[in-house]
Amino acid sequence: MIKMDKNKVKNICCIGAGYVGGPTMAVIAEKCPDIQINVVDIDIERINKWNSKDLSKLPVFEPGLSNIISKCRDNNLHFSTDTENNIARADVIFISVNTPTKTKGIGAGYASDLTWIESSARQIAKFASGHTIIVEKSTLPVKTAETIKQILKGEAKLHYLEGETKEKSFSIISNPEFLAEGTAINDLEFPDRVLIGGEDSYSIDLIADIYTKWVPKHKIIKTNLWSSELSKLVANAFLAQRVSSINSISALCESTGADIKEVSLAVGADHRIGDKFLKSGPGFGGSCFKKDILNLVYLCKYYGLTQVSEYWEQVLKINSWQQERISSIIVEKLFGNINNKKICILGFSFKANTNDIRESPGIQICKDLMNEGALLSIFDPKVEKDIILKTLKKSYKDKDFEKKCKVETSILNAARYSDAILIITDWDQFRKIDWSEIFSIVNQPAWIFDTRICLEKSYIKKIGFNLWSLGSS
Ligand code: NAD
Ligand code: UGA
């Protein structure tokens, strides 16, 4: 059964309604009104949130996303848990499920856990009909397409649908996603490139045709499967490496009197280096940089490339070190003792403009501060209170946790009577704070620790605050 009108995709199913599946499919739906898109997930709560009438309840916060959802949802964009039927009717299936680092077994702590990829492949093998193009949208280790193929081969025969006149057939495409959270919609609408790796030009071209509705042709890169899978890991490793490089230099600036902002500017002005991803901060977070580098390190080790694996592992070591040294500096500045001192934490997401806290540097820093006896008072504009508390409670096991860690709904409440204010995420609203007002409600001597270098030093110091700003003395 050929569902596709030869050269046209009519029906897409996306497995996984997370930070990638939701926004990516929303943009495809907006740009391709003639394609019906069904996003499915096993997490019913998440699906209910995607279907929520109140658009502030969507499970993913991204500037511009709710507009598209209100336009496309229930027209050509649908969210449900009906995996079976939506796989069956799809000509193209995007797999956008989670691929976290394995926590046990062979490769634990490094390799990607492919449990969810495998279960998706098995479902596709079982329910797909006719010819289906499977698109790897999740970030995967090189050669995962081979695994998917093996699963499809075996399972497809076992679950051969009754009444079919033709065997079901599949082709596999790798089409990794490069969006960054907080700018996802813009990244999807104006991508630097769209990478499509595959083995047959028919499938590659069909997927390319979806994107050419809004992406200029010259931005579409077509490669073989393995180059595409590997390029995604390498792109993230390069980006993370730049952050670790500049963060390593931030410490040297603090020791020498150089200023990291000035160094970044001077270094990035060289067009061969470029000015992006040279912003020093509390270390990179997010669900992917760490896991993708660990995965790359694992692959290098697997292929016997010890030196290469060690090289990339260092990027992660610097990142952990940057997070650890921030809490040590706070303790040192507050007379070597933060026991029972109230520290106000501004920002808990891993970067501004997202409600995602996965691998946020804030988690490790808060945990370290609590271990030193600090009382935390946290404010984040978008992260739900319960999520912050649940996350910290997991890593800081103390019977008095609720007394020691509070989440407030306003900056003023979080800051009141605090001994120090720590900026972890550079939300725009933090730049607009009336710091004189804050100065009048905090304990003296008042300290601000600015890990995002987002405050104007002279203004803060003039008010009377002690200020530690990352990367300068
Ligand atoms: P996520 O955890 O937000 O979403 C994954 C979703 O898949 C979950 O809701 C989960 O319930 C669902 N799922 C898992 N198995 C399923 C199954 N068999 N059937 C139906 N649903 C299933 O993850 P994410 O952040 O969207 O990332 C997904 C992939 O994309 C990862 O490989 C990640 O590395 C990659 N990626 C993420 C980003 C990002 O910014 N978050 C960017 C580029 C690439
Ligand atoms: C990153 C990549 O930028 C995306 O291209 C990729 O698709 C995605 O990972 C993924 O595969 O998941 P994301 O993690 O959402 O996107 O956000 P980034 O903007 O890359 O920021 C990552 C972390 O690095 C954040 O904690 C951010 O604060 C930090 N960062 C970034 C810096 O400290 N300095 C910088 O100059 C840039």
Side-chain angles (χ1 to χ4, degrees):
M1 182 174 82
I2 298 273
K3 291 162 290 181
M4 262 172 279
D5 151 12
K6 244 188 168 205
N7 294 317
K8 212 159 173 236
V9 174
K10 282 192 175 150
N11 217 308
I12 289 177
C13 171
C14 173
I15 306 181
Y19 283 85
V20 168
T24 309
M25 292 305 125
V27 170
I28 296 181
E30 187 194 28
K31 304 294 183 186
C32 309
D34 52 339
I35 301 182
Q36 282 297 316
I37 301 179
N38 286 285
V39 188
V40 297
D41 205 294
I42 41 176
D43 183 341
I44 187 157
E45 230 179 272
R46 209 164 205 183
I47 290 296
N48 288 342
K49 285 185 178 176
W50 280 113
N51 284 323
S52 170
K53 295 262 173 299
D54 177 355
L55 291 172
S56 71
K57 297 254 167 19
L58 295 179
V60 171
F61 169 74
E62 278 295 338
L65 176 63
S66 56
N67 277 345
I68 303 180
I69 296 291
S70 68
K71 212 159 70 183
C72 302
R73 196 176 57 192
D74 301 331
N75 289 321
N76 67 329
L77 177 66
H78 316 272
F79 295 92
S80 79
T81 51
D82 184 2
T83 308
E84 190 172 327
N85 283 310
N86 285 312
I87 285 181
R89 64 170 78 101
D91 340 287
V92 173
I93 300 175
F94 283 81
I95 304 182
S96 300
V97 300
N98 36 319
T99 52
T101 306
K102 265 182 106 171
T103 52
K104 55 179 192 252
I106 297 168
Y110 286 93
S112 285
D113 186 343
L114 297 181
T115 304
W116 295 273
I117 292 289
E118 192 176 329
S119 67
S120 304
R122 286 188 193 281
Q123 283 168 306
I124 294 170
K126 194 165 169 184
F127 301 121
S129 59
H131 184 72
T132 310
I133 299 176
I134 299 170
V135 183
E136 297 174 341
K137 187 48 109 178
S138 297
T139 303
L140 297 168
V142 193
K143 293 282 179 186
T144 304
E146 201 56 61
T147 311
I148 297 179
K149 270 192 229 167
Q150 293 304 322
I151 293 170
L152 293 174
K153 238 191 212 166
E155 291 277 313
K157 274 185 205 137
L158 288 174
H159 298 283
Y160 193 18
L161 292 179
E162 274 181 38
E164 289 282 0
T165 48
K166 277 189 184 164
E167 276 206 31
K168 41 181 118 179
S169 56
F170 302 99
S171 35
I172 301 187
I173 292 289
S174 161
N175 171 222
E177 186 47 61
F178 295 100
L179 68 81
E181 289 178 29
T183 53
I185 300 304
N186 188 66
D187 297 343
L188 287 162
E189 289 182 337
F190 306 100
D192 285 346
R193 79 307 212 179
V194 168
L195 178 56
I196 304 176
E199 290 173 324
D200 65 292
S201 55
Y202 169 73
S203 305
I204 295 176
D205 290 345
L206 266 180
I207 300 304
D209 284 348
I210 299 175
Y211 289 102
T212 47
K213 297 278 182 320
W214 76 97
V215 179
K217 273 199 170 122
H218 71 271
K219 291 198 169 183
I220 296 183
I221 301 174
K222 299 176 181 176
T223 66
N224 76 30
L225 266 174
W226 321 127
S227 303
S228 174
E229 288 178 339
L230 182 59
S231 301
K232 171 62 196 178
L233 291 184
V234 174
N236 271 359
F238 271 51
L239 290 169
Q241 180 204 44
R242 282 175 71 97
V243 177
S244 277
S245 297
I246 201 70
N247 282 345
S248 71
I249 301 302
S250 70
L252 189 58
C253 287
E254 288 157 28
S255 305
T256 57
D259 183 314
I260 194 66
K261 261 189 153 174
E262 293 175 354
V263 173
S264 288
L265 182 74
V267 171
D270 184 328
H271 77 275
R272 294 168 305 174
I273 297 173
D275 60 357
K276 304 281 190 311
F277 268 73
L278 285 185
K279 198 160 180 285
S280 192
F284 56 76
S287 62
C288 294
F289 279 179
K290 184 172 167 190
K291 112 176 142 54
D292 292 349
I293 293 178
L294 285 169
N295 195 347
L296 187 64
V297 166
Y298 181 73
L299 282 170
C300 295
K301 284 184 179 161
Y302 178 82
Y303 288 104
L305 301 167
T306 311
Q307 287 80 356
V308 186
S309 73
E310 284 169 356
Y311 174 75
W312 287 107
E313 201 155 18
Q314 199 57 36
V315 172
L316 294 175
K317 287 185 182 158
I318 287 287
N319 198 51
S320 304
W321 174 75
Q322 182 79 342
Q323 293 173 16
E324 286 155 17
R325 80 185 188 86
I326 285 169
S327 34
S328 306
I329 288 168
I330 295 172
V331 175
E332 182 207 315
K333 298 282 184 201
L334 298 186
F335 312 113
N337 167 37
I338 56 169
N339 198 32
N340 285 326
K341 287 187 180 165
K342 180 173 166 182
I343 300 189
C344 161
I345 307 286
L346 295 187
F348 198 77
S349 55
F350 79 96
K351 61 184 270 194
N353 295 320
T354 176
N355 61 345
D356 193 351
I357 62 160
R358 289 176 291 180
E359 297 293 336
S360 170
I363 300 171
Q364 184 62 43
I365 295 172
C366 286
K367 187 179 146 194
D368 291 346
L369 294 173
M370 289 184 89
N371 276 333
E372 286 285 336
L375 311 174
L376 302 186
S377 172
I378 304 170
F379 170 80
D380 187 284
K382 286 289 171 199
V383 184
E384 285 171 26
K385 177 178 174 173
D386 287 354
I387 291 181
I388 298 178
L389 292 175
K390 214 167 99 191
T391 306
L392 288 177
K393 200 172 177 177
K394 228 188 303 169
S395 53
Y396 184 74
K397 295 185 174 68
D398 186 300
K399 63 178 174 37
D400 290 329
F401 174 81
E402 273 79 16
K403 283 188 204 143
K404 292 182 176 173
C405 183
K406 305 259 184 246
V407 176
E408 300 288 353
T409 49
S410 81
I411 296 174
L412 281 183
N413 283 348
R416 192 167 285 115
Y417 307 125
S418 60
D419 296 280
I421 292 172
L422 168 61
I423 298 177
I424 291 184
T425 315
D426 52 349
W427 283 94
D428 216 25
Q429 70 187 91
F430 300 160
R431 292 192 177 85
K432 297 173 189 149
I433 291 173
D434 176 352
W435 287 103
S436 318
E437 189 183 8
I438 302 283
F439 190 70
S440 67
I441 58 168
V442 297
N443 294 341
Q444 299 297 333
W447 270 96
I448 296 180
F449 295 87
D450 180 6
T451 72
R452 293 284 183 172
I453 330 176
C454 58
L455 301 184
E456 210 187 296
K457 276 187 195 169
S458 54
Y459 160 62
I460 297 294
K461 284 186 173 165
K462 209 162 125 198
I463 293 169
F465 279 106
N466 292 299
L467 174 67
W468 177 84
S469 188
L470 183 85
S472 60
S473 48

